[in-house]
Amino acid sequence: MQTDRIATPFGRRPMTLALVKAQFESASIKKHKSADKWKIYRDACDARTLLGLRDRALAVLNALLSFYPETNLTEGANLIVFPSNAQLSARANGIAGTTLRENLALLVEAGLIHRNDSPNGKRYARKGRDGTIETAFGFNLAPLLARSEELAIMAQRVADENQRLKVVKEKITIERRDIRKLISAAIEEGASGDWQRVEEQFIAVVSRLRNARAAGDLAVLLDELTLLREGVVNMLEAQVLSANSVANGIEIRQHIQNSNTEPLNELEPSSRNELGRKPSQAPRRQGEPIKSFPLGMVVRACPQISDYAPGGRIDQWRDMMAAAVVVRSMLGVSPSAYQQACEIMGPENAATVIACILERGGHINSAGGYLRDLTARAERGEFSLGPMLMALMRGAASAQGKSA
């Protein structure tokens, strides 16, 4: 008989009932069961948080699997590997001996491997005359094969949780941005309300985000941010704007009534050339950039625009801008007028103006002339989207109240 001996002892921890149960389960593997060892390893890596494992323990597991010659772990085969600590350390990126033993113990406690102790506590294999292994003492990989389906399910659970966490974080980012825009716009537009208190509530919720890690905690904060945003929108709908904003609203209504008094505003640059006029120079922005508003607020104020979006709904600004191009053509707004509005106001704000014009279509005689007038005002820094959106939201709220 030939014996391969490795004199390196390995540390042991007290046997527990849980470990005994795990050994019984691994001993009853389905007959002829086989699984790719690296697929099982990837599932174990994905499920490491549920298994309570750290990266170094997984590096040690990787090293142990590398000593098993076959790609598949198969029931009935010898699934015991018996490398020395020095060999394991070399394949585990030079991990120190003490750390190696600690992580081997973690793998045993996690139920991924079993110790198959020799009488003297050393790892070795006893071979027959033909060189085949008759008996081996070391680490048994059978638990990995026995738990392959369980590890796959655990890995999927972690993936689903990570996806849920990602979605919640994205929604929180959108809510934070929208609330910030709404509060800033309300203060700058002079909306009535205790905005200092709202600001303090917003800061208090955001400060708690730093310590939130679990999806459940983040979901709670997302609910609070959603309620806060809805509260801000309700305040704007109910109290709307101060006297200065009301004056701006009156000014807008006057422009609507007189939007067809200057028909030359509808002439395209090519038409002006035919009349002997010089093409207008590139627009120059003289005022501050127009403040944009959250997409959700725009869609709420201008629900009709959704009918012209791809799929009949607006989920992102790209949908809004695609719908605006369709509506622009339907309203008879020339491409050059819309392009100029995009250059002066920005694409998102230009699309918002088109959506507002669509809502007030029955009150505007010339959509193209009205858009050019607003674009000129925006270039002079005399136009704000706030009063226009607030007026539409007031009208929607009033209509709902009457229908109720």
Side-chain angles (χ1 to χ4, degrees):
M1 304 286 287
Q2 179 183 352
T3 303
D4 292 342
R5 300 178 64 87
I6 297 174
T8 306
F10 51 89
R12 303 176 188 80
R13 295 196 181 187
M15 178 65 72
T16 63
L17 290 178
L19 291 178
V20 173
K21 180 182 177 183
Q23 289 185 4
F24 286 154
E25 290 175 350
S26 63
S28 59
I29 301 174
K30 184 178 178 182
K31 197 169 184 62
H32 304 306
K33 180 179 180 181
S34 180
D36 187 323
K37 64 181 181 181
W38 298 120
K39 169 65 170 61
I40 299 174
Y41 172 73
R42 288 192 294 271
D43 288 338
C45 289
D46 293 340
R48 63 183 177 273
T49 54
L50 298 181
L51 293 168
L53 296 176
R54 52 198 182 198
D55 291 341
R56 286 195 172 184
L58 294 169
V60 173
L61 179 61
N62 181 290
L64 285 171
L65 288 170
S66 71
F67 284 100
Y68 185 75
E70 304 297 331
T71 300
N72 284 0
L73 302 179
T74 305
E75 186 274 334
N78 176 34
L79 299 179
I80 298 174
V81 292
F82 42 92
S84 67
N85 280 359
Q87 290 172 318
L88 272 177
S89 177
R91 294 198 187 184
N93 303 319
I95 190 171
T98 303
T99 307
L100 174 65
R101 288 188 291 272
E102 289 176 355
N103 286 286
L104 284 170
L106 287 175
L107 292 172
V108 172
E109 290 178 359
L112 298 184
I113 61 174
H114 290 159
R115 296 184 190 276
N116 193 39
D117 290 345
S118 66
N120 61 5
K122 299 178 181 179
R123 287 171 242 160
Y124 62 89
R126 183 176 293 117
K127 297 182 179 180
R129 294 182 183 276
D130 58 356
T132 59
I133 297 177
E134 293 181 344
T135 307
F137 299 97
F139 295 103
N140 193 341
L141 303 177
L144 288 170
L145 179 60
R147 301 181 63 187
S148 59
E149 295 89 354
E150 179 190 353
L151 291 173
I153 293 173
M154 293 172 71
Q156 186 59 50
R157 282 175 53 196
V158 172
D160 293 343
E161 184 69 11
N162 289 339
Q163 179 61 26
R164 180 187 170 210
L165 191 63
K166 179 181 178 182
V167 171
V168 170
K169 286 182 176 179
E170 289 176 349
K171 290 182 178 180
I172 285 176
T173 299
I174 293 173
E175 293 289 354
R176 287 181 61 181
R177 183 177 62 203
D178 287 355
I179 293 172
R180 179 73 277 161
K181 286 182 178 180
L182 287 169
I183 294 176
S184 298
I187 293 174
E188 294 181 15
E189 297 288 346
S192 58
D194 189 355
W195 297 109
Q196 182 64 35
R197 181 181 60 82
V198 175
E199 176 85 10
E200 291 173 355
Q201 291 177 346
F202 176 60
I203 293 175
V205 176
V206 171
S207 64
R208 288 160 53 202
L209 287 171
R210 301 191 188 100
N211 299 323
R213 294 291 181 269
D217 296 335
L218 290 172
V220 171
L221 293 176
L222 173 60
D223 290 341
E224 292 186 24
L225 287 172
T226 301
L227 289 173
L228 181 59
R229 177 183 56 78
E230 291 176 352
V232 170
V233 172
N234 290 336
M235 288 176 65
L236 291 174
E237 286 181 339
Q239 302 177 28
V240 199
L241 299 173
S242 63
N244 181 46
S245 297
V246 172
N248 288 338
I250 296 173
E251 207 173 301
I252 287 178
R253 288 195 293 273
Q254 291 174 346
H255 278 291
I256 292 174
Q257 294 170 358
N258 301 325
S259 61
N260 62 338
T261 58
E262 298 182 13
L264 289 179
N265 283 341
E266 274 296 274
L267 292 175
E268 298 304 316
S270 57
S271 300
R272 292 191 180 98
N273 292 341
E274 292 173 3
L275 292 175
R277 299 185 182 184
K278 296 182 180 180
S280 60
Q281 297 179 348
R284 180 172 61 88
R285 186 178 304 214
Q286 295 179 351
E288 293 296 321
I290 298 178
K291 182 178 296 297
S292 60
F293 287 80
L295 178 61
M297 180 178 179
V298 175
V299 174
R300 189 171 178 178
C302 310
Q304 293 185 52
I305 191 71
S306 298
D307 296 336
Y308 303 90
R313 56 180 297 169
I314 293 176
D315 297 317
Q316 50 190 330
W317 278 108
R318 182 171 58 185
D319 300 334
M320 169 66 79
M321 289 185 280
V325 171
V326 176
V327 173
R328 186 271 313 160
S329 177
M330 183 186 72
L331 294 176
V333 177
S334 64
S336 63
Y338 186 62
Q339 178 62 30
Q340 188 179 31
C342 290
E343 292 173 357
I344 298 297
M345 303 179 185
E348 295 178 356
N349 290 330
T352 300
V353 171
I354 289 293
C356 293
I357 293 176
L358 176 64
E359 290 294 322
R360 300 299 305 275
H363 303 276
I364 300 175
N365 295 328
S366 174
Y370 184 49
L371 179 62
R372 286 191 183 279
D373 183 66
L374 294 182
T375 301
R377 291 182 58 199
E379 187 177 17
R380 298 192 301 268
E382 299 174 355
F383 172 65
S384 171
L385 279 171
M388 181 180 290
L389 287 172
M390 296 307 162
L392 289 172
M393 293 181 74
R394 277 202 310 273
S398 176
Q400 290 179 358
K402 291 179 180 178
S403 62

